C-alpha cells in the first residue's frame, strides 16, 4: 500500500498483514506481487503485470482504460467502495474455484514472448548473408549505370 496517497486508509498502518511502503523499484515490486495471493491496485501498469504472475487483480477505480483484464476474467473493476473491496478479497480467499478461474485466465496484454518475436524478425531481416547479397546487387547495378 502506498502511504503517500491521501486516500490511503489509516487502518492499514500497523496491521500485521498490510505493509505501507515507499515507492518500489520494478524488481522488488514483481517479487512482492509473486508472493501475494491477490493484487489490489489502482495502477494501470500493475493491472497489466499481475496476470503474467497468475494473480487475480482487484482494480480499485471507478473506471479503467485497461478493460481487457476485466473482459478476460483475471481482473475485477470494484470502484472504491470499502464494502465491495472487502467482499471481493473475501470471495477470492474463500472460494478456490473463483480464485483458480481468475488466476488461470491468462494475460490479455501479451504472452511474454514479444521480445523474442521482435528479435527473430530482426535477425531474419538482417541476416549478414542477405544484407551482403543486397549490397552486392546494388553495387553491380550502380556499376552498370556508370558504364
Amino acid at each position: 500500500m502506498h502511504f503517500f496517497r491521501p486516500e490511503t486508509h489509516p487502518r492499514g498502518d500497523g496491521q500485521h498483514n498490510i505493509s505501507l511502503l515507499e515507492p518500489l523499484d520494478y524488481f522488488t515490486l514483481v517479487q512482492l506481487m509473486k508472493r501475494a495471493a491477490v493484487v489490489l491496485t489502482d495502477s494501470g501498469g500493475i493491472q497489466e503485470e499481475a496476470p503474467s504472475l497468475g494473480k487475480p487483480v482487484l482494480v480499485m477505480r471507478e473506471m479503467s482504460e485497461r478493460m481487457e483484464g476485466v473482459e478476460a476474467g483475471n481482473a475485477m473493476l470494484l470502484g472504491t467502495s470499502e464494502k465491495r473491496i472487502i467482499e471481493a478479497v473475501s470471495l477470492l480467499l474463500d472460494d478456490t474455484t473463483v480464485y483458480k478461474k481468475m488466476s488461470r485466465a491468462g494475460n490479455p496484454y501479451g504472452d511474454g514472448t514479444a521480445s523474442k518475436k521482435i528479435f527473430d524478425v530482426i535477425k531474419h531481416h538482417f541476416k549478414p548473408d542477405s544484407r551482403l547479397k543486397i549490397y552486392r546487387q546494388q553495387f553491380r547495378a550502380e556499376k552498370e549505370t556508370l558504364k
Side-chain angles (χ1 to χ4, degrees), residues 36-48:
V38 178
V39 175
L40 290 89
T41 187
D42 67 350
S43 163
I46 292 180
Q47 290 176 56
E48 293 179 6

Side-chain angles (χ1 to χ4, degrees), residues 6-23:
E7 63 271 20
T8 298
H9 203 288
R11 287 193 317 200
D13 193 15
Q15 294 292 316
H16 75 283
N17 58 352
I18 297 175
S19 298
L20 300 178
L21 306 169
E22 293 190 30

Side-chain angles (χ1 to χ4, degrees), residues 37-38 61 74 80 112 127:
V38 178
R61 293 171 63 173
N74 58 18
T80 56
K127 286 182 187 173

Side-chain angles (χ1 to χ4, degrees), residues 15-74:
Q15 294 292 316
H16 75 283
N17 58 352
I18 297 175
S19 298
L20 300 178
L21 306 169
E22 293 190 30
L24 303 169
D25 63 85
Y26 181 74
F27 179 78
T28 303
L29 173 66
V30 171
Q31 294 306 309
L32 287 174
M33 284 194 297
K34 281 182 176 181
R35 293 176 44 202
V38 178
V39 175
L40 290 89
T41 187
D42 67 350
S43 163
I46 292 180
Q47 290 176 56
E48 293 179 6
E49 297 286 342
S52 294
L53 302 171
K55 303 300 177 178
V57 181
L58 301 179
V59 182
M60 300 181 297
R61 293 171 63 173
E62 300 300 329
M63 295 171 36
S64 175
E65 61 279 355
R66 295 186 177 73
M67 292 302 292
E68 297 93 336
V70 175
E71 293 162 3
N74 58 18

